[in-house]
Amino acid sequence: MIKYSLYNESHYEAKLKVTEIRNKYVFEYPCENNNDCTDYVITFSPGVYKFELYGASGGSSTGHVSSYRYPNGSCIEDKIVESVKGNTKCLRQSSLGGAGAYISGTIYLSNETISYATIGGRGIFDYKIQEEATKQCYAKENMIEGGYGGGGYAANWYRRSNFFGSGSGGGQAAVKFVKNDLWHRVIVSGAGGGADSKNGSLLGGDDGT
């Protein structure tokens, strides 16, 4: 049995997004903004628990990400993705953001335990100013914000009306016990990186994936 709430209940837009199915709980990203959010606080009664975490995807020029793609262009098999309830397919396109990782683990808790769950925000693909490779492109206010949960920022990039944008990184999914800080993480699922631009050729010099 568990109890849950939002870590910052006064956050201006955060809402509980939890689905309960028998003894299974699905925690979704609780905010609309990709990089400004809050964690969940979860109290576990003694017992055995299985965790399944999915990292957020990186920003992509097409709005879609591919399953993990090997250097030769082939992908991890769809049946493997489906076996862990993943939602990606193999896409043979350039300039795609990366898919978040999946991890699972089982733990026995002998005492009531307070935990903190970070659900990562997705990376986004965009630009802020119509400049490329200038000092202003690397000013924080002009960079593309990474997803909540530590997603990396992307430098601004704009060349012309049909050749612009860069993708920021997605945020991690993580569960922390006792204290809500990096040193108390017990399980973490990494996120996907962002695409580098809108144009490029698959497996070419500017693949950008």
Side-chain angles (χ1 to χ4, degrees):
M1 181 177 179
I2 70 172
K3 296 181 291 185
Y4 53 83
S5 62
L6 293 172
Y7 181 68
N8 179 4
E9 294 185 321
S10 63
H11 189 282
Y12 68 98
E13 68 168 18
K15 296 179 181 178
L16 284 172
K17 293 184 180 179
V18 184
T19 303
E20 299 183 25
I21 307 172
R22 297 181 183 176
N23 61 345
K24 178 180 179 180
Y25 298 80
V26 179
F27 292 83
E28 297 185 55
Y29 188 66
C31 302
E32 296 298 324
N33 188 296
N34 81 302
N35 74 304
D36 182 6
C37 198
T38 188
D39 291 348
Y40 288 99
V41 181
I42 308 170
T43 302
F44 293 96
S45 299
V48 177
Y49 296 90
K50 180 179 180 180
F51 293 88
E52 292 184 288
L53 278 63
Y54 301 82
S57 61
S60 187
S61 63
T62 64
H64 302 284
V65 298
S66 175
S67 301
Y68 178 77
R69 206 163 67 199
Y70 299 104
N72 65 2
S74 65
C75 293
I76 188 172
E77 295 181 60
D78 285 346
K79 65 181 181 181
I80 296 176
V81 176
E82 293 165 0
S83 72
V84 296
K85 302 179 179 65
N87 60 1
T88 59
K89 297 292 184 182
C90 183
L91 300 178
R92 294 185 57 79
Q93 302 171 19
S94 64
S95 302
L96 298 178
Y102 165 84
I103 191 172
S104 67
T106 302
I107 190 170
Y108 168 69
L109 300 175
S110 58
N111 300 302
E112 182 176 88
T113 303
I114 295 178
S115 70
Y116 304 88
T118 298
I119 310 298
R122 65 180 179 85
I124 56 176
F125 188 91
D126 204 353
Y127 71 93
K128 295 284 187 71
I129 57 175
Q130 294 186 8
E131 296 183 21
E132 63 166 303
T134 66
K135 185 176 181 180
Q136 287 302 310
C137 290
Y138 298 90
K140 187 173 182 179
E141 64 270 20
N142 295 327
M143 296 178 74
I144 313 307
E145 296 89 348
Y148 178 75
Y153 279 47
N156 179 83
W157 197 84
Y158 181 99
R159 177 167 293 178
R160 55 181 182 269
S161 61
N162 65 343
F163 195 11
F164 61 84
S166 56
S168 61
Q172 66 177 321
V175 176
K176 295 149 280 186
F177 283 177
V178 183
K179 292 184 179 180
N180 194 12
D181 60 35
L182 295 177
W183 294 271
H184 287 79
R185 293 182 298 180
V186 293
I187 186 169
V188 181
S189 184
D196 76 336
S197 68
K198 192 173 184 178
N199 293 21
S201 57
L202 180 66
L203 302 181
D206 187 25
D207 185 324
T209 297

